[in-house]
Protein backbone atom coordinates (compact mmCIF):
# COMPACT_ATOMS: atom_id res chain seq x y z
CA UNK A 1 0.00 0.00 0.00
CA UNK A 2 1.10 3.54 -0.70
CA UNK A 3 0.44 6.22 1.90
CA UNK A 4 -0.52 9.71 0.73
CA UNK A 5 -1.67 12.79 2.58
CA UNK A 6 -4.43 14.86 1.01
CA UNK A 7 -5.21 18.41 2.10
CA UNK A 8 -8.60 19.93 1.33
CA UNK A 9 -9.56 23.58 1.00
CA UNK A 10 -13.30 23.88 1.49
CA UNK A 11 -15.90 26.42 0.50
CA UNK A 12 -16.34 28.77 3.47
CA UNK A 13 -18.83 27.29 5.93
CA UNK A 14 -18.65 23.80 4.38
CA UNK A 15 -15.69 22.27 6.24
CA UNK A 16 -17.76 20.13 8.60
CA UNK A 17 -20.05 18.82 5.87
CA UNK A 18 -17.03 17.99 3.69
CA UNK A 19 -15.36 16.23 6.63
CA UNK A 20 -18.51 14.19 7.27
CA UNK A 21 -18.76 13.21 3.61
CA UNK A 22 -15.08 12.18 3.51
CA UNK A 23 -15.42 10.16 6.70
CA UNK A 24 -18.63 8.47 5.49
CA UNK A 25 -16.89 7.13 2.38
CA UNK A 26 -14.54 5.03 4.55
CA UNK A 27 -11.53 5.77 2.34
CA UNK A 28 -9.26 7.63 4.77
CA UNK A 29 -7.47 6.17 7.78
CA UNK A 30 -7.23 9.52 9.59
CA UNK A 31 -8.86 12.92 9.07
CA UNK A 32 -8.01 16.16 10.87
CA UNK A 33 -9.07 19.79 10.72
CA UNK A 34 -6.09 22.11 10.27
CA UNK A 35 -5.11 25.75 10.35
CA UNK A 36 -3.51 27.57 7.42
CA UNK A 37 -4.29 27.47 3.73
CA UNK A 38 -6.14 24.15 3.90
CA UNK A 39 -9.02 23.16 6.18
CA UNK A 40 -8.61 19.38 6.39
CA UNK A 41 -5.86 16.81 6.03
CA UNK A 42 -6.42 13.10 5.44
CA UNK A 43 -4.12 10.11 5.52
CA UNK A 44 -5.04 7.69 2.74
CA UNK A 45 -3.62 4.27 1.93
CA UNK A 46 -3.76 3.50 -1.78
CA UNK A 47 -4.02 -0.24 -2.54
CA UNK A 48 -1.22 -1.87 -4.54
CA UNK A 49 -1.72 -1.61 -8.27
CA UNK A 50 -4.12 1.35 -8.04
CA UNK A 51 -3.35 4.63 -9.80
CA UNK A 52 -3.21 7.30 -7.09
CA UNK A 53 -4.89 9.99 -9.17
CA UNK A 54 -7.75 7.81 -10.32
CA UNK A 55 -8.25 6.30 -6.87
CA UNK A 56 -8.55 9.69 -5.18
CA UNK A 57 -10.62 11.25 -7.97
CA UNK A 58 -13.13 8.42 -8.00
CA UNK A 59 -13.51 8.20 -4.22
CA UNK A 60 -13.01 11.69 -2.78
CA UNK A 61 -12.67 14.60 -5.15
CA UNK A 62 -16.31 14.76 -6.25
CA UNK A 63 -17.54 15.79 -2.79
CA UNK A 64 -19.47 19.08 -2.91
CA UNK A 65 -17.74 21.89 -1.02
CA UNK A 66 -14.17 20.98 -1.96
CA UNK A 67 -12.51 23.96 -3.63
CA UNK A 68 -8.95 22.65 -3.95
CA UNK A 69 -6.79 19.69 -2.94
CA UNK A 70 -3.10 19.08 -2.44
CA UNK A 71 -1.82 15.51 -2.47
CA UNK A 72 1.57 14.66 -0.96
CA UNK A 73 3.14 11.33 -1.87
CA UNK A 74 5.20 9.56 0.78
CA UNK A 75 8.30 7.39 0.40
CA UNK A 76 9.52 6.08 3.75
CA UNK A 77 8.22 6.24 7.32
CA UNK A 78 10.77 6.78 10.08
Amino acid sequence: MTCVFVQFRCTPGQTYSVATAIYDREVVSELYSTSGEYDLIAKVYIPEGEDVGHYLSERLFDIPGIMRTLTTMTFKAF
Side-chain angles (χ1 to χ4, degrees):
M1 295 190 116
T2 302
C3 176
V4 299
F5 289 90
V6 182
Q7 295 183 73
F8 299 88
R9 183 178 302 154
C10 303
T11 304
Q14 297 297 309
T15 301
Y16 285 95
S17 63
V18 170
T20 299
I22 291 170
Y23 184 78
D24 287 347
R25 292 188 180 197
E26 299 181 358
V27 175
V28 304
S29 71
E30 298 175 48
L31 180 63
Y32 299 94
S33 59
T34 58
S35 62
E37 283 189 51
Y38 290 86
D39 303 301
L40 301 166
I41 188 168
K43 185 177 187 180
V44 183
Y45 289 98
I46 309 296
E48 288 296 323
E50 291 279 349
D51 179 273
V52 174
H54 285 125
Y55 186 87
L56 294 172
S57 292
E58 293 169 0
R59 288 166 179 80
L60 290 175
F61 295 165
D62 64 336
I63 293 172
I66 296 174
M67 292 177 50
R68 184 180 178 103
T69 63
L70 174 66
T71 302
T72 302
M73 303 289 293
T74 64
F75 301 109
K76 178 177 172 71
F78 295 95

